[in-house]
Amino acid sequence: MTGTDTDALLARVDALLGDPTATDPGLGDELARCDDPLLLCEAGLLLADVTADRVRRAAPRRTTPLRIAVAATFTADGVVPLLRTALLAAGLDSDIHLCPYDRLGDQLTDPASELTAFRPDITLCLQHSGALLPADWDPTDLDGVRATLLERAAATVRAAAAFAARTGSAVLLHTVPLPRPDRDTVIGYRSRAALGRIWRETNTLLLRAGEEHDGLYTADLEAALADTEGPARDERRYRHGRMAWTPHAELACAREASAFARAVTGLGRKVLVLDLDNTLWGGVVGDDGPTGIELGTLYPGDCYTDLQRRALALRRQGVLLAVCSKNDAGPVDEVLSGHPDMVLRPDDFVAVLADWQPKDTRIAALAEELALGLDAFAFADDSAFECGLVGGSLPQVDVVHLDGDPADHSSKVLDPARWAQLGTTTTDTERTALYRRRRDRHRFGAEHDSAEEYLTGLGIRVQVRPVDPYTLPRLVQLASRTNQFNMTGAAHGEAVTRRMADSADHAVLTVEVTDRFGAEGVVGGVWVDRGPDSWRVRNMVLSCRVLSRGVERAVLQHVTDLARAAGATLVEADFTPTGRNGPAARLYPEAGLARTDGDGARYRARLDALGTLTPDWIALTPKEALDHA
């Protein structure tokens, strides 16, 4: 940024501080585009008490602050304000706690530590090379160095995994860059190669930990720093204040952590809407004809082919693809179905909207058909006009302007924070077909005069059963993404969910729905505390794909049936208003549960006082009994 740009951005920050009611809806986007870590650090310090709704074009999806702890083996004070600006840019309010310097191990393992008392939703475990590599390491004894590195890294993994299991916090480790002075200490080429291999073996151990332990994840910071300006460490900063990273490296870490926070909270985008002309191919099909567009292995056609490959990779991981193009349908169908250099084919898209209607109108209608919020959408187009139209009319949509050299188009679309998710499941690979069926249901509903006639015609079957190793990842993912029908707003992590599933005092159930159009897969879940006399529904979540069908009543019916069979006489259920879960608020009162006194919203009913809950148009088909019943 130039000095003028810097002054302008800070002036906008000052304006927010000077008036508590002021808003600057474009400031979040400016913070996301800025790559000056010193400016962002200053902004982060100033914006400590500013909420995300004051700097975003659209209202944030999460309404409660995210509790994030930073525990580091070095002085990490510079990471905190950078993390705050990255989270604000992502639409997340945060409460960030910095643990005492160089106390990572103690903070993770001591049940009475500040870290444990903070009860973080997310814990960032930051390590520098000095935490793994002894100060007196011997370059002639690399076998000994290897043993020490692996043992220290393994100790961190053990402590972090135990903390995640004990607290339910999502814990993020990272690969550790090896500073140049340590690399240059070894002067023999063979020995230097051996040190590199050993260091990568250590980082591989950290990466593998993110695959093998519930609640534990690993960011590949070493790889991210390959695209970062300058070295990972400034020797003067490190020697003077034990600041292990340069400001640019701190910014890279903060943005990796912000992307992780989006994944934990389920804020990753779910739909990529693509233009066609000069976006998925070069040229204008209406002018150049299907044979005249640019695709293939030669520049610039290879740029568009690469974008298609990247979009296909997103689709395979659960992102829905759609086309929204100002074009006649005939030539578009001809290219999508028959052009030999097309990577994407009609079956890869949940919808192909090729006509002359305004794009904002078409995207809004598609969101309604898919029953998804507009904040699940990203829109990529080469036209500044179309980007401005969609961005101005639908501020919830993430607009990607594909201007300039098409060689950069793929990297613009693949911003990791945009698509962040904790993992992919079988449901993700089938998502396009699932949502095509959703559009079919939407159209089927338009053919009926009443909602009950429509629902009866669907032939809905609901199956509730205990979670298993195959459905648990999908259930955890669903809990993190679900806002509208989430009874408490909580996102139960892997470790907590698995512990409850394995406990005789709890139950974790999954919900699957099938109708005349096919199976929806795992669309919901219930977390239950089981007592001898009373069962408590700790939380229930349902995908927006099945709302307004009465599925939640059938699920509650199944839970109460299980409670009766186990000898319980009471059922209790928690509900916490979040500002987004209004569709869930009516379930318990309408089912006959009464609100009780006390903190929070707790509902209760005698089981013998409850009538039939399952609607007439639903067949409840539970499978296995609970393992612990």
Side-chain angles (χ1 to χ4, degrees), residues 87-126:
L87 292 167
L88 282 175
L92 281 167
D93 292 321
S94 59
D95 180 5
I96 303 176
H97 172 74
L98 180 62
C99 294
Y101 162 77
D102 198 19
R103 297 285 301 279
L104 175 61
D106 292 344
Q107 291 291 307
L108 289 173
T109 56
D110 183 0
S113 68
E114 289 184 18
L115 174 60
T116 302
F118 180 64
R119 296 182 294 106
D121 301 306
I122 294 174
T123 303
L124 307 180
C125 297
L126 309 184

Tab-separated table of all heavy atoms in Angstrom, residues 87-126:
chain	number	residue	atom	x	y	z
A	87	LEU	N	-10.136	-12.156	11.188
A	87	LEU	CA	-11.445	-12.651	11.594
A	87	LEU	C	-12.542	-11.631	11.299
A	87	LEU	O	-13.638	-11.989	10.848
A	87	LEU	CB	-11.436	-13.003	13.079
A	87	LEU	CG	-10.568	-14.212	13.458
A	87	LEU	CD1	-10.384	-14.283	14.967
A	87	LEU	CD2	-11.173	-15.503	12.938
A	88	LEU	N	-12.280	-10.354	11.543
A	88	LEU	CA	-13.257	-9.323	11.202
A	88	LEU	C	-13.537	-9.323	9.709
A	88	LEU	O	-14.687	-9.203	9.275
A	88	LEU	CB	-12.745	-7.947	11.639
A	88	LEU	CG	-12.844	-7.597	13.121
A	88	LEU	CD1	-12.169	-6.259	13.390
A	88	LEU	CD2	-14.305	-7.545	13.567
A	89	ALA	N	-12.481	-9.460	8.897
A	89	ALA	CA	-12.660	-9.513	7.446
A	89	ALA	C	-13.508	-10.710	7.049
A	89	ALA	O	-14.234	-10.665	6.050
A	89	ALA	CB	-11.303	-9.569	6.752
A	90	ALA	N	-13.418	-11.793	7.820
A	90	ALA	CA	-14.202	-12.993	7.543
A	90	ALA	C	-15.604	-12.924	8.130
A	90	ALA	O	-16.390	-13.860	7.952
A	90	ALA	CB	-13.481	-14.226	8.102
A	91	GLY	N	-15.929	-11.839	8.840
A	91	GLY	CA	-17.256	-11.704	9.428
A	91	GLY	C	-17.405	-12.380	10.768
A	91	GLY	O	-18.522	-12.721	11.173
A	92	LEU	N	-16.311	-12.548	11.493
A	92	LEU	CA	-16.353	-13.245	12.778
A	92	LEU	C	-15.926	-12.315	13.907
A	92	LEU	O	-14.825	-11.740	13.882
A	92	LEU	CB	-15.416	-14.455	12.758
A	92	LEU	CG	-15.928	-15.708	12.055
A	92	LEU	CD1	-14.787	-16.685	11.832
A	92	LEU	CD2	-17.047	-16.362	12.844
A	93	ASP	N	-16.777	-12.165	14.911
A	93	ASP	CA	-16.372	-11.514	16.152
A	93	ASP	C	-15.583	-12.519	16.980
A	93	ASP	O	-15.867	-13.721	16.944
A	93	ASP	CB	-17.588	-11.043	16.942
A	93	ASP	CG	-18.320	-9.910	16.240
A	93	ASP	OD1	-17.644	-9.041	15.664
A	93	ASP	OD2	-19.566	-9.907	16.260
A	94	SER	N	-14.620	-12.036	17.716
A	94	SER	CA	-13.745	-12.966	18.443
A	94	SER	C	-13.392	-12.436	19.825
A	94	SER	O	-13.345	-11.223	20.056
A	94	SER	CB	-12.453	-13.220	17.653
A	94	SER	OG	-11.758	-11.997	17.424
A	95	ASP	N	-13.164	-13.360	20.708
A	95	ASP	CA	-12.599	-13.098	22.024
A	95	ASP	C	-11.298	-13.886	22.068
A	95	ASP	O	-11.310	-15.123	22.162
A	95	ASP	CB	-13.575	-13.560	23.107
A	95	ASP	CG	-13.054	-13.310	24.517
A	95	ASP	OD1	-11.980	-12.693	24.660
A	95	ASP	OD2	-13.720	-13.746	25.483
A	96	ILE	N	-10.175	-13.184	21.944
A	96	ILE	CA	-8.871	-13.841	21.790
A	96	ILE	C	-8.104	-13.764	23.104
A	96	ILE	O	-7.956	-12.693	23.700
A	96	ILE	CB	-8.048	-13.184	20.657
A	96	ILE	CG1	-8.839	-13.219	19.343
A	96	ILE	CG2	-6.713	-13.897	20.485
A	96	ILE	CD1	-8.152	-12.498	18.194
A	97	HIS	N	-7.610	-14.910	23.539
A	97	HIS	CA	-6.819	-14.991	24.771
A	97	HIS	C	-5.411	-15.451	24.430
A	97	HIS	O	-5.220	-16.513	23.821
A	97	HIS	CB	-7.453	-15.983	25.750
A	97	HIS	CG	-6.613	-16.262	26.957
A	97	HIS	ND1	-6.458	-15.359	27.981
A	97	HIS	CD2	-5.861	-17.342	27.300
A	97	HIS	CE1	-5.665	-15.866	28.906
A	97	HIS	NE2	-5.287	-17.072	28.517
A	98	LEU	N	-4.410	-14.664	24.808
A	98	LEU	CA	-3.008	-15.023	24.613
A	98	LEU	C	-2.463	-15.628	25.897
A	98	LEU	O	-2.427	-14.975	26.946
A	98	LEU	CB	-2.188	-13.795	24.216
A	98	LEU	CG	-0.690	-14.013	23.983
A	98	LEU	CD1	-0.460	-14.978	22.827
A	98	LEU	CD2	0.020	-12.692	23.724
A	99	CYS	N	-2.047	-16.878	25.824
A	99	CYS	CA	-1.517	-17.573	27.001
A	99	CYS	C	-0.117	-17.065	27.348
A	99	CYS	O	0.555	-16.436	26.525
A	99	CYS	CB	-1.474	-19.075	26.729
A	99	CYS	SG	-3.094	-19.837	26.540
A	100	PRO	N	0.347	-17.348	28.564
A	100	PRO	CA	1.683	-16.911	28.965
A	100	PRO	C	2.764	-17.421	28.006
A	100	PRO	O	2.661	-18.515	27.450
A	100	PRO	CB	1.853	-17.510	30.369
A	100	PRO	CG	0.454	-17.686	30.864
A	100	PRO	CD	-0.363	-18.025	29.668
A	101	TYR	N	3.795	-16.628	27.855
A	101	TYR	CA	4.900	-16.921	26.943
A	101	TYR	C	5.577	-18.265	27.250
A	101	TYR	O	5.863	-18.583	28.396
A	101	TYR	CB	5.915	-15.778	27.038
A	101	TYR	CG	7.288	-16.098	26.510
A	101	TYR	CD1	7.549	-16.119	25.140
A	101	TYR	CD2	8.342	-16.376	27.380
A	101	TYR	CE1	8.813	-16.409	24.651
A	101	TYR	CE2	9.605	-16.662	26.918
A	101	TYR	CZ	9.839	-16.685	25.540
A	101	TYR	OH	11.085	-16.969	25.058
A	102	ASP	N	5.796	-19.051	26.193
A	102	ASP	CA	6.571	-20.293	26.242
A	102	ASP	C	6.049	-21.276	27.292
A	102	ASP	O	6.828	-21.935	27.976
A	102	ASP	CB	8.053	-19.984	26.496
A	102	ASP	CG	8.945	-21.168	26.117
A	102	ASP	OD1	8.480	-22.042	25.354
A	102	ASP	OD2	10.099	-21.213	26.587
A	103	ARG	N	4.714	-21.384	27.387
A	103	ARG	CA	4.126	-22.320	28.348
A	103	ARG	C	3.158	-23.264	27.632
A	103	ARG	O	2.192	-23.732	28.228
A	103	ARG	CB	3.382	-21.546	29.440
A	103	ARG	CG	4.254	-20.637	30.291
A	103	ARG	CD	5.077	-21.427	31.287
A	103	ARG	NE	4.211	-22.197	32.164
A	103	ARG	CZ	3.589	-21.693	33.225
A	103	ARG	NH1	3.726	-20.421	33.537
A	103	ARG	NH2	2.831	-22.468	33.984
A	104	LEU	N	3.421	-23.558	26.371
A	104	LEU	CA	2.490	-24.349	25.574
A	104	LEU	C	2.191	-25.690	26.230
A	104	LEU	O	1.026	-26.074	26.401
A	104	LEU	CB	3.046	-24.557	24.168
A	104	LEU	CG	2.234	-25.482	23.245
A	104	LEU	CD1	0.831	-24.926	23.032
A	104	LEU	CD2	2.945	-25.674	21.908
A	105	GLY	N	3.233	-26.432	26.609
A	105	GLY	CA	3.028	-27.756	27.198
A	105	GLY	C	2.234	-27.695	28.480
A	105	GLY	O	1.285	-28.480	28.683
A	106	ASP	N	2.586	-26.772	29.376
A	106	ASP	CA	1.877	-26.649	30.649
A	106	ASP	C	0.428	-26.248	30.438
A	106	ASP	O	-0.480	-26.757	31.110
A	106	ASP	CB	2.562	-25.600	31.534
A	106	ASP	CG	3.936	-26.043	31.994
A	106	ASP	OD1	4.221	-27.244	31.897
A	106	ASP	OD2	4.709	-25.178	32.436
A	107	GLN	N	0.190	-25.328	29.530
A	107	GLN	CA	-1.162	-24.856	29.292
A	107	GLN	C	-2.065	-25.970	28.762
A	107	GLN	O	-3.244	-26.051	29.094
A	107	GLN	CB	-1.145	-23.687	28.306
A	107	GLN	CG	-0.526	-22.412	28.865
A	107	GLN	CD	-1.383	-21.790	29.952
A	107	GLN	OE1	-2.572	-21.541	29.760
A	107	GLN	NE2	-0.793	-21.558	31.116
A	108	LEU	N	-1.489	-26.853	27.933
A	108	LEU	CA	-2.280	-27.942	27.372
A	108	LEU	C	-2.551	-29.049	28.385
A	108	LEU	O	-3.623	-29.667	28.370
A	108	LEU	CB	-1.565	-28.540	26.162
A	108	LEU	CG	-1.506	-27.690	24.892
A	108	LEU	CD1	-0.611	-28.352	23.854
A	108	LEU	CD2	-2.904	-27.458	24.309
A	109	THR	N	-1.611	-29.312	29.270
A	109	THR	CA	-1.715	-30.489	30.138
A	109	THR	C	-2.274	-30.205	31.526
A	109	THR	O	-2.780	-31.121	32.189
A	109	THR	CB	-0.332	-31.149	30.295
A	109	THR	OG1	0.605	-30.189	30.801
A	109	THR	CG2	0.162	-31.669	28.948
A	110	ASP	N	-2.218	-28.959	31.989
A	110	ASP	CA	-2.668	-28.634	33.344
A	110	ASP	C	-4.173	-28.338	33.327
A	110	ASP	O	-4.614	-27.359	32.716
A	110	ASP	CB	-1.908	-27.415	33.861
A	110	ASP	CG	-2.288	-27.063	35.296
A	110	ASP	OD1	-3.134	-27.761	35.880
A	110	ASP	OD2	-1.731	-26.071	35.825
A	111	PRO	N	-4.995	-29.149	34.002
A	111	PRO	CA	-6.444	-28.891	34.023
A	111	PRO	C	-6.812	-27.561	34.669
A	111	PRO	O	-7.927	-27.066	34.469
A	111	PRO	CB	-7.003	-30.060	34.843
A	111	PRO	CG	-5.952	-31.124	34.767
A	111	PRO	CD	-4.642	-30.394	34.698
A	112	ALA	N	-5.883	-26.960	35.427
A	112	ALA	CA	-6.149	-25.675	36.080
A	112	ALA	C	-5.484	-24.515	35.361
A	112	ALA	O	-5.402	-23.405	35.903
A	112	ALA	CB	-5.671	-25.728	37.532
A	113	SER	N	-5.029	-24.719	34.137
A	113	SER	CA	-4.315	-23.667	33.415
A	113	SER	C	-5.252	-22.559	32.963
A	113	SER	O	-6.481	-22.730	32.892
A	113	SER	CB	-3.607	-24.257	32.190
A	113	SER	OG	-4.556	-24.691	31.225
A	114	GLU	N	-4.658	-21.398	32.626
A	114	GLU	CA	-5.443	-20.297	32.069
A	114	GLU	C	-6.157	-20.736	30.797
A	114	GLU	O	-7.292	-20.333	30.533
A	114	GLU	CB	-4.539	-19.100	31.758
A	114	GLU	CG	-4.015	-18.356	32.961
A	114	GLU	CD	-3.202	-17.136	32.542
A	114	GLU	OE1	-3.346	-16.699	31.370
A	114	GLU	OE2	-2.429	-16.633	33.368
A	115	LEU	N	-5.486	-21.546	30.005
A	115	LEU	CA	-6.053	-22.010	28.741
A	115	LEU	C	-7.332	-22.810	28.991
A	115	LEU	O	-8.361	-22.583	28.348
A	115	LEU	CB	-5.029	-22.858	27.995
A	115	LEU	CG	-5.491	-23.548	26.714
A	115	LEU	CD1	-5.962	-22.520	25.687
A	115	LEU	CD2	-4.376	-24.406	26.132
A	116	THR	N	-7.279	-23.740	29.923
A	116	THR	CA	-8.453	-24.549	30.234
A	116	THR	C	-9.582	-23.678	30.772
A	116	THR	O	-10.750	-23.845	30.394
A	116	THR	CB	-8.101	-25.641	31.249
A	116	THR	OG1	-7.047	-26.462	30.723
A	116	THR	CG2	-9.310	-26.510	31.560
A	117	ALA	N	-9.234	-22.728	31.659
A	117	ALA	CA	-10.245	-21.862	32.256
A	117	ALA	C	-10.922	-20.981	31.209
A	117	ALA	O	-12.096	-20.620	31.356
A	117	ALA	CB	-9.613	-21.000	33.346
A	118	PHE	N	-10.220	-20.639	30.147
A	118	PHE	CA	-10.784	-19.780	29.100
A	118	PHE	C	-11.866	-20.488	28.302
A	118	PHE	O	-12.722	-19.864	27.708
A	118	PHE	CB	-9.651	-19.316	28.167
A	118	PHE	CG	-10.095	-18.417	27.053
A	118	PHE	CD1	-10.644	-17.168	27.312
A	118	PHE	CD2	-9.977	-18.822	25.729
A	118	PHE	CE1	-11.050	-16.338	26.279
A	118	PHE	CE2	-10.380	-18.008	24.686
A	118	PHE	CZ	-10.922	-16.753	24.968
A	119	ARG	N	-11.847	-21.819	28.269
A	119	ARG	CA	-12.814	-22.641	27.528
A	119	ARG	C	-12.882	-22.246	26.047
A	119	ARG	O	-13.919	-21.841	25.536
A	119	ARG	CB	-14.204	-22.552	28.162
A	119	ARG	CG	-14.280	-23.119	29.560
A	119	ARG	CD	-15.669	-23.054	30.146
A	119	ARG	NE	-16.101	-21.676	30.357
A	119	ARG	CZ	-16.997	-21.042	29.609
A	119	ARG	NH1	-17.563	-21.670	28.588
A	119	ARG	NH2	-17.342	-19.809	29.870
A	120	PRO	N	-11.772	-22.359	25.340
A	120	PRO	CA	-11.741	-21.884	23.946
A	120	PRO	C	-12.524	-22.781	22.998
A	120	PRO	O	-12.545	-24.008	23.144
A	120	PRO	CB	-10.245	-21.919	23.603
A	120	PRO	CG	-9.692	-23.005	24.481
A	120	PRO	CD	-10.475	-22.918	25.763
A	121	ASP	N	-13.166	-22.160	22.023
A	121	ASP	CA	-13.730	-22.919	20.908
A	121	ASP	C	-12.613	-23.439	20.016
A	121	ASP	O	-12.697	-24.536	19.466
A	121	ASP	CB	-14.662	-22.029	20.072
A	121	ASP	CG	-15.808	-21.455	20.875
A	121	ASP	OD1	-16.518	-22.258	21.509
A	121	ASP	OD2	-15.986	-20.228	20.878
A	122	ILE	N	-11.570	-22.616	19.867
A	122	ILE	CA	-10.422	-22.943	19.027
A	122	ILE	C	-9.151	-22.648	19.802
A	122	ILE	O	-9.051	-21.619	20.483
A	122	ILE	CB	-10.439	-22.116	17.718
A	122	ILE	CG1	-11.623	-22.514	16.840
A	122	ILE	CG2	-9.136	-22.267	16.946
A	122	ILE	CD1	-11.794	-21.638	15.610
A	123	THR	N	-8.190	-23.547	19.705
A	123	THR	CA	-6.891	-23.356	20.347
A	123	THR	C	-5.798	-23.426	19.291
A	123	THR	O	-5.684	-24.432	18.585
A	123	THR	CB	-6.637	-24.426	21.424
A	123	THR	OG1	-7.694	-24.382	22.388
A	123	THR	CG2	-5.307	-24.184	22.120
A	124	LEU	N	-5.020	-22.366	19.173
A	124	LEU	CA	-3.900	-22.326	18.236
A	124	LEU	C	-2.620	-22.650	19.000
A	124	LEU	O	-2.254	-21.939	19.944
A	124	LEU	CB	-3.774	-20.947	17.593
A	124	LEU	CG	-5.032	-20.371	16.933
A	124	LEU	CD1	-4.736	-19.000	16.334
A	124	LEU	CD2	-5.565	-21.325	15.876
A	125	CYS	N	-1.959	-23.730	18.611
A	125	CYS	CA	-0.701	-24.139	19.238
A	125	CYS	C	0.439	-23.736	18.311
A	125	CYS	O	0.688	-24.399	17.297
A	125	CYS	CB	-0.686	-25.641	19.470
A	125	CYS	SG	-1.976	-26.216	20.605
A	126	LEU	N	1.118	-22.646	18.655
A	126	LEU	CA	2.156	-22.095	17.786
A	126	LEU	C	3.529	-22.479	18.319
A	126	LEU	O	3.844	-22.227	19.489
A	126	LEU	CB	2.033	-20.571	17.704
A	126	LEU	CG	0.628	-20.026	17.356
A	126	LEU	CD1	0.685	-18.507	17.205
A	126	LEU	CD2	0.092	-20.685	16.105
